[in-house]
Amino acid sequence: MLPLFFTLFLGFSSQRAYCQVDRGGVPRSFQLQFVQKSLLKVIDVASPDLLTIQKEDINDASLEKPYRVGVEVAVKISSDSDGQWDNIPGGGRIWRATISCKDAQGIGLNYNELRLPEGSDLFVYTPDHSSIIGAITADEIPDPAFTTRPLEGDELVIEYYQPAKVTQQPVIQISGIVFMYRGFNTSDVEAKSATAGDCEVNVNCVEGQNWKNQKQGVVKILTKVGAKTYYCSGSVVNNTSQNFSGLILTAGHCSETSINSVISEASDEDYKHWVFYFNYEYPGCANTGGTTELTTVGASKLATSTGLADFGSDFLLVKSLKEIPAKYKAFYCGWDISNSNSPSGVGIHHPDGGVKKISTYSTYLDSGSFQGSGHNTHWIVSWVPTVNGYGVTEGGSSGSPLFDKDGLVIGTLSGGGSSCSSQTDADDYGKVSYSWTSNGSLASQQLKPWLDSINSGITKMPGSFNENLTVANFSANSNIIPVGGSINFYDLSSGKPFKWHWSFQSGNPYESTNQNPTGIVFERYGKMNVKLVVTNALNSDSIVKEGFIDVRAIVSPNPSKGSISILSDINNTNEITIEVFDAIGKMAQSYTYSGSSAANYTINLPDYGNVFIIRIIQGNQVQTHKVVVVH
């Protein structure tokens, strides 16, 4: 048995695993001890006046508005003038900045310009490494005006990695800190579930059993309207051409704010910072089990009823700037414009920006107006108690879909009186049938030009999944090999791709366009990444498996009589350090070498002791080997 020192030592050299939302992976600084210890100067951002914010929210509580949860604090933070650059042994460098805004429940970043060179990437994470966004590459940035969603706490770190081969400089210009002041306590179940009323029903309770498809089309939306940030809900919707183009339906008032009683709307630039959350829900009926944060960033406005002389049907249709990833398994909800009065159905929504909930109605809807529009623009719904609660709506539910008995969207939530303390009060949903062509004569005031661009004339469009999308996945015949060993890879992608592009870190060959590459030789020790990009007629999808192949240096013979040969790399050109530790954890020897002629390096171990630990260091790759000496 190894002494306690070696148990701890070996454990320290392993990498902690994280659940990722974007490309996945771990920021380089987590693996570099000298970088971890380097002190980053904290950029302190002045907090907004919370008393003024509270007064504004009290005034807004009487109005039908989305649920404000944050404000933008203007800053000027740039990789050119702020933060810290560090070189990485073996090549490459990283830039990091720690940003703090006291008393924030969460912090997000708005970029007025974010441009990353090909091959580089960006991470944003909390100082305790509990929450990580990334890796973000140029492929994940649909527009230079970009946002990284808020992470919990009042401090975060941004980290940019630039490989040695990349000479182009990044443009990282942060123009605003999204200061989240409520609705963002997510550190424990009780805090998270408290963001919605106790009477609300989780969508994965028995009440949602028959609505599993529809729930996958409902999204939480974090909007930006000027300097204010709101939560709303919305639904991904189908169109008659079924091109799965990322159309999202919500409420018009989700794009509005009031300043001194003057209504203003989100600008085109504001929409680029909207964040859409998919599948944000508990896995079961209880308020436990954790959630995922699968997001896209950015949208463009297509049509809305805002700015009319009367309130209209209160709708907003936007198009996601980035294709909704196939792995999100979004359902493209169907709709009904026949103005038929449904006898039953549900509403699915994100009250207070919390996890997805479901509300149930079992009587015929009424038809009426909202805020004195004078037209039958809205469906009036009253909710009923169910097995697990009394689903109602709250701030943040605005824009959420109302489904009829056939599972089709017939309305978007404007507001109403229902709450956990007023369960029998009615809610008002802008009719999809009215939004179709009745708000105005322009395409920018109607749903029809966007949801039925082929002029099919149908009144009921079923929902569907985009089952033809390809989703990248793969496996290998082994995950652990010695330096110089080979691996066979197997494509497991769905959606019948016809094009493959593999990339193998330290592999020979480095890349392949075969569906199932064989005999890929790995010439350098360490945990190596493998990337696969697949393409079919409709889309491309990629997956990066970080550290997927564990290439082990060859230390032989083992057991040894005192002399060992170390093969760490084939055709090595980088500097390698070898450290020898004895049984009590004392460093006994240290060697540094490089050069392709020194692929095999021979050392003589100390003439005392029977067990030694060999630590091999090259750049950010650290590997340990136990060697037994037989005298």
Side-chain angles (χ1 to χ4, degrees):
M1 174 179 287
L2 283 174
L4 176 61
F5 165 79
F6 291 121
T7 303
L8 296 174
F9 187 83
L10 291 169
F12 180 78
S13 66
S14 63
Q15 296 181 1
R16 183 179 173 186
Y18 294 87
C19 178
Q20 300 298 318
V21 173
D22 304 293
R23 284 183 177 258
V26 178
R28 275 72 178 179
S29 66
F30 292 13
Q31 306 166 57
L32 299 172
Q33 295 183 45
F34 87 95
V35 171
Q36 287 178 329
K37 294 177 181 178
S38 66
L39 297 177
L40 286 177
K41 181 180 178 181
V42 177
I43 301 172
D44 286 309
V45 178
S47 304
D49 185 346
L50 290 174
L51 183 59
T52 299
I53 290 173
Q54 184 181 31
K55 290 179 179 178
E56 291 175 353
D57 286 338
I58 291 174
N59 292 332
D60 288 350
S62 61
L63 304 174
E64 299 301 337
K65 287 194 170 186
Y67 184 62
R68 189 174 72 162
V69 290
V71 295
E72 182 181 42
V73 181
V75 298
K76 290 184 178 180
I77 299 174
S78 170
S79 56
D80 291 334
S81 57
D82 303 288
Q84 173 178 310
W85 287 93
D86 287 295
N87 293 321
I88 297 176
R93 59 180 187 155
I94 62 174
W95 173 79
R96 293 173 297 157
T98 298
I99 302 170
S100 175
C101 198
K102 187 178 179 182
D103 297 326
Q105 288 189 11
I107 298 177
L109 299 178
N110 286 336
Y111 309 81
N112 62 313
E113 188 169 8
L114 180 62
R115 300 180 189 272
L116 303 182
E118 191 69 30
S120 66
D121 58 49
L122 186 78
F123 285 89
V124 178
Y125 52 88
T126 54
D128 64 0
H129 301 175
S130 62
S131 298
I132 305 174
I133 299 172
I136 297 171
T137 71
D139 291 340
E140 281 75 53
I141 303 173
D143 190 277
F146 191 69
T147 285
T148 44
R149 67 178 182 276
L151 296 178
E152 184 179 7
D154 61 3
E155 189 171 285
L156 53 72
V157 182
I158 179 173
E159 177 174 324
Y160 166 76
Y161 166 67
Q162 183 164 306
K165 64 181 180 181
V166 175
T167 58
Q168 181 184 354
Q169 296 303 303
V171 178
I172 306 174
Q173 295 181 359
I174 301 170
S175 56
I177 303 301
V178 181
F179 181 95
M180 302 290 287
Y181 62 89
R182 65 176 176 181
F184 207 79
N185 282 324
T186 59
S187 58
D188 58 74
V189 169
E190 289 186 3
K192 185 177 286 188
S193 61
T195 60
D198 293 338
C199 69
E200 300 281 12
V201 180
N202 283 328
V203 74
N204 286 317
C205 292
V206 65
E207 289 87 339
Q209 183 67 33
N210 296 326
W211 306 91
K212 290 184 177 181
N213 288 347
Q214 285 76 14
K215 71 160 186 173
Q216 288 183 237
V218 177
V219 295
K220 179 173 79 169
I221 309 174
L222 185 64
T223 73
K224 181 181 186 298
V225 187
K228 299 181 180 181
T229 297
Y230 299 89
Y231 275 138
C232 272
S233 301
S235 57
V236 182
V237 289
N238 210 352
N239 58 17
T240 54
S241 60
Q242 288 197 282
N243 58 4
F244 305 103
S245 56
L247 302 177
I248 298 173
L249 180 63
T250 185
H253 74 268
C254 289
S255 66
E256 295 180 321
T257 189
S258 175
I259 302 176
N260 297 323
S261 300
V262 177
I263 300 295
S264 61
E265 296 184 37
S267 67
D268 290 342
E269 286 298 306
D270 287 340
Y271 280 110
K272 294 176 181 179
H273 296 281
W274 285 28
V275 182
F276 301 89
Y277 294 75
F278 295 77
N279 305 318
Y280 188 68
E281 60 196 50
Y282 287 129
C285 188
N287 289 320
T288 58
T291 60
T292 58
E293 294 192 353
L294 307 176
T295 59
T296 62
V297 175
S300 59
K301 181 177 70 172
L302 299 181
T304 184
S305 61
T306 58
L308 301 177
D310 57 33
F311 193 76
S313 59
D314 187 28
F315 87 94
L316 170 66
L317 184 70
V318 300
K319 176 181 170 64
S320 174
L321 293 184
K322 186 73 177 175
E323 182 180 76
I324 298 172
K327 58 177 65 72
Y328 288 10
K329 298 180 180 179
F331 183 70
Y332 292 75
C333 296
W335 35 263
D336 181 359
I337 63 165
S338 64
N339 200 29
S340 300
N341 190 355
S342 179
S344 62
V346 299
I348 301 177
H349 52 106
H350 288 277
D352 287 1
V355 295
K356 198 173 294 180
K357 305 291 185 178
I358 187 167
S359 306
T360 303
Y361 67 96
S362 59
T363 57
Y364 279 98
L365 301 172
D366 290 327
S367 185
S369 62
F370 185 72
Q371 289 194 346
S373 65
H375 305 285
N376 287 325
T377 56
H378 284 68
W379 293 117
I380 315 300
V381 59
S382 295
W383 309 110
V384 295
T386 56
V387 174
N388 290 289
Y390 203 128
V392 290
T393 64
E394 304 176 44
S397 302
S398 287
S400 61
L402 181 69
F403 293 100
D404 68 9
K405 62 181 180 60
D406 297 318
L408 304 177
V409 178
I410 57 174
T412 54
L413 180 64
S414 291
S418 80
S419 67
C420 285
S421 59
S422 302
Q423 296 169 345
T424 59
D425 285 1
D427 283 332
D428 305 280
Y429 286 77
K431 293 181 177 181
V432 171
S433 59
Y434 195 92
S435 301
W436 197 247
T437 58
S438 299
N439 285 290
S441 59
L442 301 177
S444 60
Q445 299 169 321
Q446 301 177 354
L447 285 179
K448 183 184 183 302
W450 313 100
L451 301 190
D452 188 23
S453 60
I454 63 175
N455 293 312
S456 68
I458 68 171
T459 60
K460 293 185 180 183
M461 180 68 198
S464 65
F465 290 99
N466 192 355
E467 296 178 348
N468 294 320
L469 290 179
T470 184
V471 180
N473 195 13
F474 64 85
S475 67
N477 65 329
S478 178
N479 297 95
I480 302 176
I481 58 169
V483 169
S486 65
I487 296 279
N488 299 331
F489 291 88
Y490 307 103
D491 172 45
L492 300 178
S493 304
S494 60
K496 298 180 180 179
F498 57 76
K499 185 178 179 181
W500 302 264
H501 187 181
W502 299 79
S503 300
F504 311 103
Q505 184 182 5
S506 86
N508 185 7
Y510 173 74
E511 56 187 353
S512 173
T513 56
N514 295 332
Q515 181 178 7
N516 299 301
T518 59
I520 305 300
V521 178
F522 286 84
E523 299 184 333
R524 178 162 66 91
Y525 85 94
K527 292 187 175 181
M528 302 302 169
N529 306 335
V530 178
K531 176 182 178 180
L532 172 62
V533 180
V534 293
T535 302
N536 71 4
L538 293 177
N539 75 303
S540 293
D541 188 47
S542 65
I543 184 172
V544 177
K545 295 190 178 182
E546 300 272 351
F548 184 67
I549 304 298
D550 187 2
V551 186
R552 304 296 295 175
I554 300 174
V555 179
S556 63
N558 192 7
S560 167
K561 291 186 177 182
S563 178
I564 60 172
S565 178
I566 299 173
L567 175 61
S568 60
D569 290 52
I570 298 173
N571 299 319
N572 172 58
T573 58
N574 296 319
E575 184 176 89
I576 294 177
T577 297
I578 296 175
E579 298 173 341
V580 180
F581 294 84
D582 61 22
I584 62 173
K586 179 181 177 182
M587 183 183 291
Q589 296 171 337
S590 179
Y591 306 89
T592 299
Y593 69 97
S594 62
S596 59
S597 62
N600 283 281
Y601 194 77
T602 300
I603 64 174
N604 293 315
L605 297 171
D607 58 4
Y608 68 92
N610 297 316
V611 177
F612 294 92
I613 293 295
I614 311 298
R615 180 163 71 172
I616 307 170
I617 305 169
Q618 179 181 255
N620 62 354
Q621 296 284 0
V622 180
Q623 199 171 93
T624 58
H625 295 258
K626 173 186 173 184
V627 176
V628 176
V629 176
V630 180
H631 295 289

